PDB file of all heavy atoms in Angstrom:
ATOM      1  N   TYR G1607    -153.111  97.608-188.232  1.00 96.00           N
ATOM      2  CA  TYR G1607    -152.417  97.910-189.437  1.00 96.00           C
ATOM      3  C   TYR G1607    -151.816  96.599-189.985  1.00 96.00           C
ATOM      4  O   TYR G1607    -151.261  95.815-189.217  1.00 96.00           O
ATOM      5  CB  TYR G1607    -151.279  98.897-189.202  1.00 96.00           C
ATOM      6  CG  TYR G1607    -150.417  99.172-190.425  1.00 96.00           C
ATOM      7  CD1 TYR G1607    -150.835 100.075-191.403  1.00 96.00           C
ATOM      8  CD2 TYR G1607    -149.239  98.507-190.612  1.00 96.00           C
ATOM      9  CE1 TYR G1607    -150.022 100.288-192.519  1.00 96.00           C
ATOM     10  CE2 TYR G1607    -148.432  98.699-191.725  1.00 96.00           C
ATOM     11  CZ  TYR G1607    -148.859  99.616-192.698  1.00 96.00           C
ATOM     12  OH  TYR G1607    -148.088  99.781-193.798  1.00 96.00           O
ATOM     13  N   GLN G1608    -151.910  96.383-191.285  1.00 97.00           N
ATOM     14  CA  GLN G1608    -151.357  95.189-191.891  1.00 97.00           C
ATOM     15  C   GLN G1608    -150.632  95.557-193.185  1.00 97.00           C
ATOM     16  O   GLN G1608    -151.022  96.466-193.861  1.00 97.00           O
ATOM     17  CB  GLN G1608    -152.472  94.166-192.200  1.00 97.00           C
ATOM     18  CG  GLN G1608    -153.131  93.596-190.945  1.00 97.00           C
ATOM     19  CD  GLN G1608    -154.255  92.639-191.246  1.00 97.00           C
ATOM     20  OE1 GLN G1608    -155.280  93.012-191.810  1.00 97.00           O
ATOM     21  NE2 GLN G1608    -154.053  91.407-190.857  1.00 97.00           N
ATOM     22  N   PRO G1609    -149.574  94.760-193.562  1.00 95.00           N
ATOM     23  CA  PRO G1609    -149.079  93.598-192.830  1.00 95.00           C
ATOM     24  C   PRO G1609    -148.124  94.063-191.721  1.00 95.00           C
ATOM     25  O   PRO G1609    -147.266  94.889-191.949  1.00 95.00           O
ATOM     26  CB  PRO G1609    -148.354  92.838-193.956  1.00 95.00           C
ATOM     27  CG  PRO G1609    -147.888  93.910-194.910  1.00 95.00           C
ATOM     28  CD  PRO G1609    -148.942  95.002-194.850  1.00 95.00           C
ATOM     29  N   GLU G1610    -148.240  93.384-190.608  1.00 95.00           N
ATOM     30  CA  GLU G1610    -147.363  93.727-189.465  1.00 95.00           C
ATOM     31  C   GLU G1610    -147.384  92.595-188.484  1.00 95.00           C
ATOM     32  O   GLU G1610    -148.259  91.737-188.455  1.00 95.00           O
ATOM     33  CB  GLU G1610    -147.745  95.056-188.845  1.00 95.00           C
ATOM     34  CG  GLU G1610    -146.714  95.696-187.894  1.00 95.00           C
ATOM     35  CD  GLU G1610    -145.294  95.653-188.445  1.00 95.00           C
ATOM     36  OE1 GLU G1610    -144.595  94.625-188.156  1.00 95.00           O
ATOM     37  OE2 GLU G1610    -144.870  96.586-189.130  1.00 95.00           O
ATOM     38  N   LEU G1611    -146.394  92.634-187.555  1.00 95.00           N
ATOM     39  CA  LEU G1611    -146.193  91.584-186.564  1.00 95.00           C
ATOM     40  C   LEU G1611    -147.445  91.340-185.711  1.00 95.00           C
ATOM     41  O   LEU G1611    -147.748  90.222-185.327  1.00 95.00           O
ATOM     42  CB  LEU G1611    -145.009  91.969-185.652  1.00 95.00           C
ATOM     43  CG  LEU G1611    -144.495  91.032-184.613  1.00 95.00           C
ATOM     44  CD1 LEU G1611    -143.030  91.381-184.302  1.00 95.00           C
ATOM     45  CD2 LEU G1611    -145.279  91.055-183.310  1.00 95.00           C
ATOM     46  N   THR G1612    -148.198  92.420-185.428  1.00 95.00           N
ATOM     47  CA  THR G1612    -149.303  92.301-184.506  1.00 95.00           C
ATOM     48  C   THR G1612    -150.383  91.309-184.967  1.00 95.00           C
ATOM     49  O   THR G1612    -151.172  90.740-184.154  1.00 95.00           O
ATOM     50  CB  THR G1612    -149.954  93.661-184.237  1.00 95.00           C
ATOM     51  OG1 THR G1612    -150.246  94.271-185.502  1.00 95.00           O
ATOM     52  CG2 THR G1612    -149.024  94.573-183.459  1.00 95.00           C
ATOM     53  N   THR G1613    -150.416  91.063-186.287  1.00 96.00           N
ATOM     54  CA  THR G1613    -151.369  90.053-186.800  1.00 96.00           C
ATOM     55  C   THR G1613    -150.658  88.893-187.448  1.00 96.00           C
ATOM     56  O   THR G1613    -151.177  87.751-187.477  1.00 96.00           O
ATOM     57  CB  THR G1613    -152.356  90.616-187.803  1.00 96.00           C
ATOM     58  OG1 THR G1613    -151.710  91.266-188.856  1.00 96.00           O
ATOM     59  CG2 THR G1613    -153.330  91.604-187.125  1.00 96.00           C
ATOM     60  N   SER G1614    -149.455  89.113-187.975  1.00 96.00           N
ATOM     61  CA  SER G1614    -148.727  88.025-188.653  1.00 96.00           C
ATOM     62  C   SER G1614    -147.275  87.972-188.140  1.00 96.00           C
ATOM     63  O   SER G1614    -146.427  88.753-188.618  1.00 96.00           O
ATOM     64  CB  SER G1614    -148.720  88.291-190.154  1.00 96.00           C
ATOM     65  OG  SER G1614    -148.106  87.194-190.879  1.00 96.00           O
ATOM     66  N   PRO G1615    -147.011  87.128-187.177  1.00 97.00           N
ATOM     67  CA  PRO G1615    -147.833  86.021-186.719  1.00 97.00           C
ATOM     68  C   PRO G1615    -148.693  86.267-185.481  1.00 97.00           C
ATOM     69  O   PRO G1615    -149.372  85.376-185.054  1.00 97.00           O
ATOM     70  CB  PRO G1615    -146.768  84.939-186.387  1.00 97.00           C
ATOM     71  CG  PRO G1615    -145.664  85.756-185.787  1.00 97.00           C
ATOM     72  CD  PRO G1615    -145.634  87.058-186.607  1.00 97.00           C
ATOM     73  N   GLY G1616    -148.674  87.502-184.942  1.00 96.00           N
ATOM     74  CA  GLY G1616    -149.190  87.751-183.621  1.00 96.00           C
ATOM     75  C   GLY G1616    -150.640  87.265-183.385  1.00 96.00           C
ATOM     76  O   GLY G1616    -150.977  86.897-182.253  1.00 96.00           O
ATOM     77  N   ALA G1617    -151.499  87.310-184.414  1.00 97.00           N
ATOM     78  CA  ALA G1617    -152.902  86.863-184.213  1.00 97.00           C
ATOM     79  C   ALA G1617    -153.157  85.529-184.742  1.00 97.00           C
ATOM     80  O   ALA G1617    -154.328  85.055-184.764  1.00 97.00           O
ATOM     81  CB  ALA G1617    -153.837  87.949-184.919  1.00 97.00           C
ATOM     82  N   GLY G1618    -152.115  84.808-185.144  1.00 96.00           N
ATOM     83  CA  GLY G1618    -152.311  83.428-185.627  1.00 96.00           C
ATOM     84  C   GLY G1618    -153.268  83.331-186.797  1.00 96.00           C
ATOM     85  O   GLY G1618    -153.173  84.103-187.766  1.00 96.00           O
ATOM     86  N   GLU G1619    -154.260  82.412-186.708  1.00 95.00           N
ATOM     87  CA  GLU G1619    -155.266  82.309-187.806  1.00 95.00           C
ATOM     88  C   GLU G1619    -156.172  83.516-187.920  1.00 95.00           C
ATOM     89  O   GLU G1619    -156.763  83.755-188.981  1.00 95.00           O
ATOM     90  CB  GLU G1619    -156.079  81.050-187.536  1.00 95.00           C
ATOM     91  CG  GLU G1619    -155.351  79.748-187.639  1.00 95.00           C
ATOM     92  CD  GLU G1619    -154.692  79.491-188.992  1.00 95.00           C
ATOM     93  OE1 GLU G1619    -155.265  80.003-189.983  1.00 95.00           O
ATOM     94  OE2 GLU G1619    -153.680  78.819-189.043  1.00 95.00           O
ATOM     95  N   PHE G1620    -156.178  84.345-186.918  1.00 98.00           N
ATOM     96  CA  PHE G1620    -156.999  85.542-186.930  1.00 98.00           C
ATOM     97  C   PHE G1620    -156.273  86.704-187.647  1.00 98.00           C
ATOM     98  O   PHE G1620    -156.702  87.869-187.476  1.00 98.00           O
ATOM     99  CB  PHE G1620    -157.423  85.972-185.510  1.00 98.00           C
ATOM    100  CG  PHE G1620    -158.347  85.000-184.879  1.00 98.00           C
ATOM    101  CD1 PHE G1620    -157.955  84.254-183.775  1.00 98.00           C
ATOM    102  CD2 PHE G1620    -159.635  84.765-185.387  1.00 98.00           C
ATOM    103  CE1 PHE G1620    -158.824  83.336-183.189  1.00 98.00           C
ATOM    104  CE2 PHE G1620    -160.516  83.877-184.814  1.00 98.00           C
ATOM    105  CZ  PHE G1620    -160.097  83.136-183.715  1.00 98.00           C
ATOM    106  N   VAL G1621    -155.221  86.409-188.391  1.00 97.00           N
ATOM    107  CA  VAL G1621    -154.603  87.400-189.257  1.00 97.00           C
ATOM    108  C   VAL G1621    -155.599  88.002-190.184  1.00 97.00           C
ATOM    109  O   VAL G1621    -155.554  89.161-190.583  1.00 97.00           O
ATOM    110  CB  VAL G1621    -153.409  86.769-189.996  1.00 97.00           C
ATOM    111  CG1 VAL G1621    -153.846  85.621-190.938  1.00 97.00           C
ATOM    112  CG2 VAL G1621    -152.634  87.844-190.814  1.00 97.00           C
ATOM    113  N   ASN G1622    -156.604  87.174-190.589  1.00 97.00           N
ATOM    114  CA  ASN G1622    -157.756  87.669-191.337  1.00 97.00           C
ATOM    115  C   ASN G1622    -158.734  88.243-190.284  1.00 97.00           C
ATOM    116  O   ASN G1622    -159.474  87.504-189.590  1.00 97.00           O
ATOM    117  CB  ASN G1622    -158.462  86.576-192.086  1.00 97.00           C
ATOM    118  CG  ASN G1622    -159.659  87.052-192.884  1.00 97.00           C
ATOM    119  OD1 ASN G1622    -160.077  88.198-192.752  1.00 97.00           O
ATOM    120  ND2 ASN G1622    -160.238  86.171-193.654  1.00 97.00           N
ATOM    121  N   GLN G1623    -158.713  89.546-190.111  1.00 98.00           N
ATOM    122  CA  GLN G1623    -159.464  90.162-189.027  1.00 98.00           C
ATOM    123  C   GLN G1623    -161.005  90.075-189.216  1.00 98.00           C
ATOM    124  O   GLN G1623    -161.747  90.337-188.249  1.00 98.00           O
ATOM    125  CB  GLN G1623    -159.033  91.634-188.859  1.00 98.00           C
ATOM    126  CG  GLN G1623    -157.572  91.759-188.420  1.00 98.00           C
ATOM    127  CD  GLN G1623    -157.105  93.184-188.268  1.00 98.00           C
ATOM    128  OE1 GLN G1623    -157.319  93.793-187.221  1.00 98.00           O
ATOM    129  NE2 GLN G1623    -156.489  93.709-189.312  1.00 98.00           N
ATOM    130  N   VAL G1624    -161.438  89.742-190.442  1.00 98.00           N
ATOM    131  CA  VAL G1624    -162.826  89.493-190.648  1.00 98.00           C
ATOM    132  C   VAL G1624    -163.306  88.322-189.771  1.00 98.00           C
ATOM    133  O   VAL G1624    -164.448  88.309-189.288  1.00 98.00           O
ATOM    134  CB  VAL G1624    -163.135  89.254-192.129  1.00 98.00           C
ATOM    135  CG1 VAL G1624    -164.592  88.796-192.327  1.00 98.00           C
ATOM    136  CG2 VAL G1624    -162.876  90.506-192.930  1.00 98.00           C
ATOM    137  N   LEU G1625    -162.408  87.366-189.540  1.00 98.00           N
ATOM    138  CA  LEU G1625    -162.741  86.211-188.677  1.00 98.00           C
ATOM    139  C   LEU G1625    -163.050  86.676-187.257  1.00 98.00           C
ATOM    140  O   LEU G1625    -163.949  86.139-186.609  1.00 98.00           O
ATOM    141  CB  LEU G1625    -161.606  85.187-188.684  1.00 98.00           C
ATOM    142  CG  LEU G1625    -161.261  84.514-190.030  1.00 98.00           C
ATOM    143  CD1 LEU G1625    -160.073  83.614-189.852  1.00 98.00           C
ATOM    144  CD2 LEU G1625    -162.511  83.743-190.531  1.00 98.00           C
ATOM    145  N   ILE G1626    -162.302  87.651-186.795  1.00 98.00           N
ATOM    146  CA  ILE G1626    -162.552  88.184-185.455  1.00 98.00           C
ATOM    147  C   ILE G1626    -163.935  88.863-185.405  1.00 98.00           C
ATOM    148  O   ILE G1626    -164.702  88.595-184.462  1.00 98.00           O
ATOM    149  CB  ILE G1626    -161.444  89.203-185.056  1.00 98.00           C
ATOM    150  CG1 ILE G1626    -160.071  88.541-185.029  1.00 98.00           C
ATOM    151  CG2 ILE G1626    -161.788  89.877-183.724  1.00 98.00           C
ATOM    152  CD1 ILE G1626    -158.935  89.495-184.745  1.00 98.00           C
ATOM    153  N   ALA G1627    -164.183  89.697-186.376  1.00 98.00           N
ATOM    154  CA  ALA G1627    -165.441  90.393-186.448  1.00 98.00           C
ATOM    155  C   ALA G1627    -166.619  89.399-186.572  1.00 98.00           C
ATOM    156  O   ALA G1627    -167.677  89.602-185.914  1.00 98.00           O
ATOM    157  CB  ALA G1627    -165.470  91.351-187.653  1.00 98.00           C
ATOM    158  N   THR G1628    -166.396  88.313-187.287  1.00 98.00           N
ATOM    159  CA  THR G1628    -167.481  87.298-187.421  1.00 98.00           C
ATOM    160  C   THR G1628    -167.801  86.661-186.076  1.00 98.00           C
ATOM    161  O   THR G1628    -168.986  86.480-185.734  1.00 98.00           O
ATOM    162  CB  THR G1628    -167.042  86.230-188.424  1.00 98.00           C
ATOM    163  OG1 THR G1628    -166.727  86.822-189.651  1.00 98.00           O
ATOM    164  CG2 THR G1628    -168.148  85.189-188.616  1.00 98.00           C
ATOM    165  N   LEU G1629    -166.769  86.317-185.301  1.00 98.00           N
ATOM    166  CA  LEU G1629    -167.013  85.736-183.978  1.00 98.00           C
ATOM    167  C   LEU G1629    -167.701  86.722-183.051  1.00 98.00           C
ATOM    168  O   LEU G1629    -168.622  86.369-182.329  1.00 98.00           O
ATOM    169  CB  LEU G1629    -165.666  85.300-183.370  1.00 98.00           C
ATOM    170  CG  LEU G1629    -165.144  83.919-183.774  1.00 98.00           C
ATOM    171  CD1 LEU G1629    -163.709  83.682-183.298  1.00 98.00           C
ATOM    172  CD2 LEU G1629    -166.043  82.800-183.269  1.00 98.00           C
ATOM    173  N   LEU G1630    -167.217  87.945-183.072  1.00 98.00           N
ATOM    174  CA  LEU G1630    -167.827  88.975-182.195  1.00 98.00           C
ATOM    175  C   LEU G1630    -169.320  89.190-182.574  1.00 98.00           C
ATOM    176  O   LEU G1630    -170.149  89.250-181.711  1.00 98.00           O
ATOM    177  CB  LEU G1630    -167.087  90.290-182.366  1.00 98.00           C
ATOM    178  CG  LEU G1630    -165.594  90.323-181.894  1.00 98.00           C
ATOM    179  CD1 LEU G1630    -164.958  91.638-182.212  1.00 98.00           C
ATOM    180  CD2 LEU G1630    -165.541  90.079-180.378  1.00 98.00           C
ATOM    181  N   SER G1631    -169.568  89.299-183.884  1.00 98.00           N
ATOM    182  CA  SER G1631    -170.895  89.518-184.366  1.00 98.00           C
ATOM    183  C   SER G1631    -171.819  88.347-184.004  1.00 98.00           C
ATOM    184  O   SER G1631    -173.001  88.573-183.566  1.00 98.00           O
ATOM    185  CB  SER G1631    -170.900  89.696-185.892  1.00 98.00           C
ATOM    186  OG  SER G1631    -172.199  89.795-186.414  1.00 98.00           O
ATOM    187  N   HIS G1632    -171.328  87.150-184.129  1.00 98.00           N
ATOM    188  CA  HIS G1632    -172.148  85.963-183.866  1.00 98.00           C
ATOM    189  C   HIS G1632    -172.498  85.778-182.379  1.00 98.00           C
ATOM    190  O   HIS G1632    -173.618  85.416-182.025  1.00 98.00           O
ATOM    191  CB  HIS G1632    -171.440  84.721-184.389  1.00 98.00           C
ATOM    192  CG  HIS G1632    -172.267  83.467-184.347  1.00 98.00           C
ATOM    193  ND1 HIS G1632    -173.218  83.114-185.256  1.00 98.00           N
ATOM    194  CD2 HIS G1632    -172.303  82.448-183.401  1.00 98.00           C
ATOM    195  CE1 HIS G1632    -173.774  81.992-184.949  1.00 98.00           C
ATOM    196  NE2 HIS G1632    -173.257  81.568-183.852  1.00 98.00           N
ATOM    197  N   TYR G1633    -171.513  86.026-181.510  1.00 98.00           N
ATOM    198  CA  TYR G1633    -171.709  85.691-180.096  1.00 98.00           C
ATOM    199  C   TYR G1633    -172.073  86.902-179.194  1.00 98.00           C
ATOM    200  O   TYR G1633    -172.432  86.695-178.061  1.00 98.00           O
ATOM    201  CB  TYR G1633    -170.458  85.019-179.532  1.00 98.00           C
ATOM    202  CG  TYR G1633    -170.307  83.606-180.083  1.00 98.00           C
ATOM    203  CD1 TYR G1633    -169.316  83.326-181.081  1.00 98.00           C
ATOM    204  CD2 TYR G1633    -171.085  82.556-179.627  1.00 98.00           C
ATOM    205  CE1 TYR G1633    -169.212  82.041-181.542  1.00 98.00           C
ATOM    206  CE2 TYR G1633    -170.975  81.295-180.122  1.00 98.00           C
ATOM    207  CZ  TYR G1633    -170.044  81.015-181.129  1.00 98.00           C
ATOM    208  OH  TYR G1633    -169.904  79.741-181.651  1.00 98.00           O
ATOM    209  N   ALA G1634    -172.060  88.093-179.740  1.00 98.00           N
ATOM    210  CA  ALA G1634    -172.463  89.257-178.941  1.00 98.00           C
ATOM    211  C   ALA G1634    -173.967  89.181-178.657  1.00 98.00           C
ATOM    212  O   ALA G1634    -174.731  88.733-179.533  1.00 98.00           O
ATOM    213  CB  ALA G1634    -172.084  90.522-179.681  1.00 98.00           C
ATOM    214  N   PRO G1635    -174.404  89.599-177.511  1.00 98.00           N
ATOM    215  CA  PRO G1635    -175.824  89.651-177.219  1.00 98.00           C
ATOM    216  C   PRO G1635    -176.550  90.507-178.281  1.00 98.00           C
ATOM    217  O   PRO G1635    -175.951  91.397-178.882  1.00 98.00           O
ATOM    218  CB  PRO G1635    -175.884  90.322-175.845  1.00 98.00           C
ATOM    219  CG  PRO G1635    -174.556  90.014-175.204  1.00 98.00           C
ATOM    220  CD  PRO G1635    -173.566  90.000-176.354  1.00 98.00           C
ATOM    221  N   LYS G1636    -177.802  90.248-178.467  1.00 95.00           N
ATOM    222  CA  LYS G1636    -178.562  90.884-179.575  1.00 95.00           C
ATOM    223  C   LYS G1636    -178.625  92.404-179.490  1.00 95.00           C
ATOM    224  O   LYS G1636    -178.757  93.098-180.497  1.00 95.00           O
ATOM    225  CB  LYS G1636    -179.985  90.305-179.653  1.00 95.00           C
ATOM    226  CG  LYS G1636    -180.037  88.815-180.029  1.00 95.00           C
ATOM    227  CD  LYS G1636    -181.454  88.343-180.265  1.00 95.00           C
ATOM    228  CE  LYS G1636    -181.486  86.857-180.595  1.00 95.00           C
ATOM    229  NZ  LYS G1636    -180.696  86.541-181.848  1.00 95.00           N
ATOM    230  N   ASN G1637    -178.519  92.953-178.290  1.00 96.00           N
ATOM    231  CA  ASN G1637    -178.604  94.391-178.147  1.00 96.00           C
ATOM    232  C   ASN G1637    -177.233  95.090-178.160  1.00 96.00           C
ATOM    233  O   ASN G1637    -177.098  96.268-177.852  1.00 96.00           O
ATOM    234  CB  ASN G1637    -179.327  94.740-176.850  1.00 96.00           C
ATOM    235  CG  ASN G1637    -178.567  94.257-175.629  1.00 96.00           C
ATOM    236  OD1 ASN G1637    -177.842  93.297-175.681  1.00 96.00           O
ATOM    237  ND2 ASN G1637    -178.768  94.962-174.487  1.00 96.00           N
ATOM    238  N   VAL G1638    -176.175  94.350-178.524  1.00 98.00           N
ATOM    239  CA  VAL G1638    -174.794  94.862-178.496  1.00 98.00           C
ATOM    240  C   VAL G1638    -174.293  94.967-179.951  1.00 98.00           C
ATOM    241  O   VAL G1638    -174.352  94.020-180.705  1.00 98.00           O
ATOM    242  CB  VAL G1638    -173.902  93.925-177.650  1.00 98.00           C
ATOM    243  CG1 VAL G1638    -172.442  94.422-177.746  1.00 98.00           C
ATOM    244  CG2 VAL G1638    -174.360  93.908-176.212  1.00 98.00           C
TER     245      VAL G1638
END
Side-chain angles (χ1 to χ4, degrees):
Y1607 175 83
Q1608 292 179 297
E1610 195 44 271
L1611 185 158
T1612 50
T1613 55
S1614 183
E1619 295 298 332
F1620 294 113
V1621 61
N1622 179 355
Q1623 296 178 84
V1624 172
L1625 296 177
I1626 298 176
T1628 303
L1629 277 170
L1630 296 174
S1631 174
H1632 186 82
Y1633 288 106
K1636 293 188 182 300
N1637 64 332
V1638 175

